[in-house]
Amino acid sequence: MQHHGFSMDAVYVMKSNDAPHPVYDASLREFQFRKVEPPNVPVNIQYTPNPARLDDSQVQVAFADSPHQKTWRISEARDWRYLMEYILKTTKAKFIIFNQDDGEWITQFSLPTDPITNRWTGGMVSIAFERTTLRKFLDWIEDRWKEKPIDWTLDDFAREFGYKVPHLVGTVRHIGQVRSIED
């Protein structure tokens, strides 16, 4: 499959709820993709941050989230991890490009060459991982993924291992109007 200037091995889509979604519905028409069912595991928002990370102000902020916000944040991280593990098990692709449902590719671009490339100004709207770097990140977050939002955790990972994460602004447009959840 050829799209946006490079060949894709496969497109995987996971929709985590039953709400109507125009981007998801459009992808049904545009791509041949593999639908991935989200994990059928309840979200447990009860956790204790690792004592070694209690001085991290982001861990403190996230731990103080409302139960509603924690449920959303932890569900998002759980589903993201599940999808990435699924892709690593079912494809041999050298690069995995993750695009959230409210990120729209607007230009052609070449395959990434850096271990991690962000195609948006920040967060997880659209991000590419070299396969071995993704595996390393998934292993590293095993005991961290509930403690703070996944994008903050990725920033910590990049800092700890010295990854430079280029931001290719202008290749993806964030079409979300508001945060996915509001308290």
Side-chain angles (χ1 to χ4, degrees):
M1 176 177 6
Q2 186 78 17
H3 202 67
H4 291 284
F6 58 87
S7 177
M8 293 185 196
D9 293 338
V11 175
Y12 293 77
V13 174
M14 181 169 69
K15 184 177 179 189
S16 296
N17 60 53
D18 294 328
H21 200 288
V23 173
Y24 177 81
D25 296 338
S27 70
L28 285 171
R29 293 186 300 274
E30 186 176 351
F31 292 111
Q32 296 175 343
F33 67 87
R34 298 175 190 174
K35 184 175 179 184
V36 179
E37 293 297 325
N40 189 16
V41 178
V43 173
N44 179 2
I45 65 169
Q46 302 302 318
Y47 68 95
T48 302
N50 183 313
R53 293 188 287 275
L54 283 176
D55 61 339
D56 181 332
S57 63
Q58 289 180 332
V59 169
Q60 295 168 17
V61 167
F63 191 66
D65 278 345
S66 70
H68 188 64
Q69 182 67 20
K70 277 184 185 174
T71 300
W72 175 80
R73 173 175 54 79
I74 292 170
S75 295
E76 180 185 49
R78 177 207 58 196
D79 292 351
W80 186 87
R81 289 175 60 234
Y82 179 84
L83 181 60
M84 294 302 105
E85 291 286 0
Y86 183 90
I87 290 170
L88 287 175
K89 288 176 185 163
T90 59
T91 183
K92 302 266 189 246
K94 183 177 178 185
F95 284 92
I96 311 298
I97 301 174
F98 171 78
N99 205 71
Q100 283 183 344
D101 59 354
D102 58 354
E104 179 183 37
W105 292 359
I106 55 175
T107 64
Q108 290 193 349
F109 46 84
S110 59
L111 273 175
T113 55
D114 293 285
I116 308 169
T117 304
N118 199 324
R119 298 190 176 283
W120 178 243
T121 56
M124 299 291 279
V125 172
S126 188
I127 194 157
F129 286 92
E130 190 272 330
R131 178 184 196 85
T132 58
T133 305
L134 177 58
R135 174 76 271 149
K136 183 176 180 179
F137 178 57
L138 288 168
D139 293 343
W140 184 82
I141 66 169
E142 187 61 35
D143 72 337
R144 294 170 164 86
W145 66 275
K146 284 187 174 184
E147 292 182 339
K148 55 170 113 172
I150 193 82
D151 54 331
W152 295 1
T153 307
L154 176 61
D155 291 342
D156 292 346
F157 172 78
R159 205 171 18 260
E160 184 169 318
F161 290 97
Y163 288 108
K164 304 293 184 223
V165 182
H167 291 191
L168 303 181
V169 178
T171 58
V172 172
R173 177 175 44 226
H174 186 227
I175 60 174
Q177 297 297 312
V178 294
R179 289 183 51 199
S180 297
I181 193 168
E182 293 185 48
D183 284 328

